[in-house]
Amino acid sequence: MPHDNSTKAIVYAFAANLGIAVSKTGAAIWTGSGSLLAEAIHSFADCGNQVLLFIGMKRAERLATAKHPMGYGRESYIWSMMVAITLFSVGGLFSIYEGWLRMGERHEVENAGAAMLVLLIAVALEAFSLKGALSALQDEKGRRGLWQWFRETQSSELMVVVGEDLAALLGLVIAALMLGLTMLTGNSVYDAMGSIMIGMLLVIVAALVGREVHSLLLGEADTAIRDAVRSFLQQQPEVVRVLNIWAISHGNQVMVAVKAELLPDLRVAEAAVAINKMEQQIKSAHNRVNWVFFEIDNSD
């Protein structure tokens, strides 16, 4: 299900961004608008983002091997990090550079009305893409706010797509405002400032997405599953106390490691039966849990 949602969001985003990129490029060449050129670069970068995310998602689905016994689930994080660093940051820095050059050269913006029309069309397409992404993540997000979901999600593809779409909409607002000021004043410095502001926005989004994906790469705990498993084990008659629990995300799957003290009079065979039963119940209750490792101990 998580991969199905991510695929849907990626397809929506790619279709919208490809149409936007082509229209922005034509309008930027026709009008000479720096803000539109920055937006075109951003949209082409977003198309590249979607291709990389899709590749990473498919590679993460490869079956486990003797060399990689837990599979390749975390590979999607690597490709998401590539998107954040390479495309977001490069697109952002190029936009800043382009705006800086135009600040000095003061290019004339022609056919500004047509450029504004393209921006409005792009807003509609980006809104369509964002709506698709938000719809795809709704089941996972639940009642959490968008920022809380962003900080806690293990779906790096959805995180990147939503970050892209939000940055794109904000960038379009900036481009429209700055182009509007240029039309009103006849001063193209506002258009150049728009390019710089869009670039700074992309760099900020890259930093936020990169920070979250970096945490996933290191092995982020799923606190909801950890707390639920702890509560479940504490209710089991064979468990004296729970000493420690790890619930570590591995792509769309979770590895749970338990260290617990069992009743001292349990025989080995009885303890094995009890542990196997608890492991099966944990997996049944949490479909993301793929591995459960249970250690019996009596000390922290």
Side-chain angles (χ1 to χ4, degrees):
M1 183 63 71
H3 275 329
D4 291 340
N5 290 338
S6 296
T7 301
K8 186 186 300 183
I10 289 171
V11 170
Y12 276 130
F14 182 83
N17 285 316
L18 183 60
I20 292 169
V22 173
S23 61
K24 285 178 183 175
T25 300
I29 294 172
W30 186 23
T31 63
S33 169
S35 294
L36 266 178
L37 180 60
E39 278 294 312
I41 294 167
H42 177 198
S43 295
F44 276 118
D46 284 350
C47 290
N49 288 353
Q50 273 83 64
V51 172
L52 290 179
L53 290 174
F54 187 76
I55 292 172
M57 189 175 65
K58 290 304 178 184
R59 289 179 63 85
E61 293 175 352
R62 288 181 296 169
L63 297 177
T65 63
K67 189 173 183 179
H68 297 93
M70 294 184 71
Y72 295 83
R74 289 192 187 181
E75 184 156 354
S76 61
Y77 301 157
I78 297 173
W79 290 79
S80 296
M81 181 64 80
M82 289 170 58
V83 168
I85 294 175
T86 306
L87 294 177
F88 264 143
S89 297
V90 170
L93 292 175
F94 184 85
S95 296
I96 293 171
Y97 174 73
E98 179 67 20
W100 181 258
L101 287 181
R102 288 175 180 268
M103 286 283 286
E105 297 177 7
R106 303 289 179 90
H107 285 271
E108 189 70 24
V109 176
E110 302 174 352
N111 302 306
M116 186 64 74
L117 178 61
V118 169
L119 286 176
L120 294 176
I121 293 173
V123 166
L125 290 173
E126 285 292 359
F128 165 78
S129 177
L130 180 59
K131 182 181 179 181
L134 293 177
S135 175
L137 66 84
Q138 190 57 47
D139 289 341
E140 181 187 328
K141 185 172 77 70
R143 300 178 64 180
R144 292 177 293 177
L146 189 59
W147 177 247
Q148 183 182 359
W149 168 84
F150 181 82
R151 295 299 308 274
E152 296 176 356
T153 184
Q154 284 80 40
S155 300
S156 59
E157 304 94 345
L158 276 175
M159 180 198 306
V160 173
V161 171
V162 170
E164 284 177 353
D165 288 344
L166 288 173
L169 277 176
L170 288 173
L172 286 167
V173 171
I174 293 171
L177 287 174
M178 290 302 170
L179 186 58
L181 286 172
T182 298
M183 293 170 65
L184 288 173
T185 64
N187 189 349
S188 63
V189 70
Y190 292 110
D191 186 63
M193 288 173 59
S195 179
I196 293 173
M197 292 170 66
I198 291 167
M200 293 174 64
L201 173 65
L202 294 179
V203 171
I204 291 171
V205 172
L208 290 174
V209 172
R211 182 185 66 180
E212 296 304 319
V213 176
H214 175 257
S215 179
L216 291 171
L217 274 169
L218 293 178
E220 192 171 274
D222 189 311
T223 55
I225 290 179
R226 181 196 63 196
D227 295 343
V229 170
R230 181 183 297 275
S231 177
F232 164 75
L233 292 174
Q234 289 172 339
Q235 298 173 26
Q236 303 310 302
E238 299 88 356
V239 177
V240 176
R241 58 177 176 147
V242 178
L243 301 172
N244 200 3
I245 294 179
W246 288 1
I248 306 299
S249 295
H250 191 80
N252 286 313
Q253 297 176 325
V254 173
M255 181 275 293
V256 173
V258 177
K259 186 177 182 181
E261 181 180 355
L262 301 186
L263 293 173
D265 56 350
L266 282 178
R267 292 180 297 176
V268 173
E270 293 172 335
V273 170
I275 290 172
N276 288 335
K277 180 181 178 181
M278 286 185 283
E279 289 180 349
Q280 288 299 320
Q281 288 176 311
I282 290 170
K283 289 181 179 180
S284 297
H286 307 282
N287 57 13
R288 292 187 61 231
V289 174
N290 194 49
W291 309 273
V292 180
F293 303 103
F294 203 111
E295 178 185 356
I296 302 174
D297 207 337
N298 61 2
S299 65
D300 296 338

